[in-house]
Amino acid sequence: MLPFVDVEIHRKFSLFLPKCATPIPIFGKQDSAVIDPFTDTKCPHDWKVSGYGNATGVSPKPGYMAIWKDCINEGSHKKYVMDIPLEQVDPSWATQVCTYGWGMGIPFGTAFPGYIDMLAIRPTGIRVARYRGMITPEFQKIVGENYLKMWTAIQNNSYVLSLGENRLTVEYLAQFERWY
């Protein structure tokens, strides 16, 4: 297992994109960071839990680098390759790890590895699957464009108006939501 170098990191940063005149503010809580043994660099890491409360449980997603059951490493998945793009394993995981990488100071458009440890819970026991995937410049561009669309929609009020027909109703409902 990789040692954690940071745990539960609150990040508030600005994302500077080539097509955006103003920086996009981002706030999040990153689970942790690890040192990648292949590059000797600090990389974003996140935990996932799947199968809890499910009668049959779950199997890990394909593409894991290693899997442990009862503290025994059972090896990698047959589809694992060293520099697999993380979005091929799970695009939502890749988006989250991409954002964490930017928050750690990795420049937009620079490829970097990210890690996910998934607890796959079944009635027969728990397995921990470790994923190491690359956050590619191409995927970062997609994530950046999505942040830009979201920020533009917030700035021009089209996001608020998309939540409901009546702006006052939306603002009233938003009072009971925790925005942080």
Side-chain angles (χ1 to χ4, degrees), residues 1-170:
M1 300 299 268
L2 296 175
F4 299 109
V5 290
D6 290 315
V7 178
E8 290 197 13
I9 313 142
H10 289 84
R11 300 226 187 262
K12 184 177 181 181
F13 65 98
S14 296
L15 179 61
F16 294 88
L17 297 173
K19 295 181 182 178
C20 190
T22 60
I24 300 169
I26 298 179
F27 177 77
K29 187 175 102 176
Q30 180 178 337
D31 282 352
S32 59
V34 296
I35 299 295
D36 180 58
F38 305 104
T39 63
D40 200 32
T41 58
K42 189 191 259 191
C43 300
H45 170 271
D46 195 59
W47 284 95
K48 301 294 178 193
V49 177
S50 192
Y52 179 78
N54 184 324
T56 59
V58 298
S59 294
K61 294 176 184 261
Y64 52 80
M65 178 175 120
I67 191 164
W68 290 268
K69 182 175 183 183
D70 300 326
C71 297
I72 298 170
N73 185 342
E74 297 181 347
S76 62
H77 189 269
K78 62 185 176 185
K79 291 185 178 181
Y80 175 74
V81 292
M82 177 66 167
D83 290 329
I84 186 170
L86 192 55
E87 73 265 18
Q88 288 182 13
V89 176
D90 187 301
S92 66
W93 291 2
T95 300
Q96 187 174 13
V97 170
C98 177
T99 305
Y100 291 162
W102 292 335
M104 291 172 61
I106 298 171
F108 179 82
T110 302
F112 63 91
Y115 283 84
I116 298 285
D117 282 339
M118 176 189 180
L119 276 65
I121 301 171
R122 299 192 84 146
T124 56
I126 298 173
R127 295 186 289 170
V128 179
R130 156 93 20 107
Y131 298 84
R132 178 194 188 268
M134 294 303 292
I135 306 300
T136 64
E138 298 79 18
F139 186 72
Q140 290 182 51
K141 183 178 178 190
I142 293 167
V143 174
E145 288 172 358
N146 288 337
Y147 273 118
L148 179 56
K149 287 177 190 173
M150 176 193 64
W151 185 238
T152 300
I154 290 170
Q155 295 292 84
N156 69 18
N157 258 353
S158 63
Y159 175 75
V160 172
L161 297 175
S162 73
L163 297 174
E165 293 179 18
N166 183 318
R167 181 184 172 89
L168 292 176
T169 302
V170 172

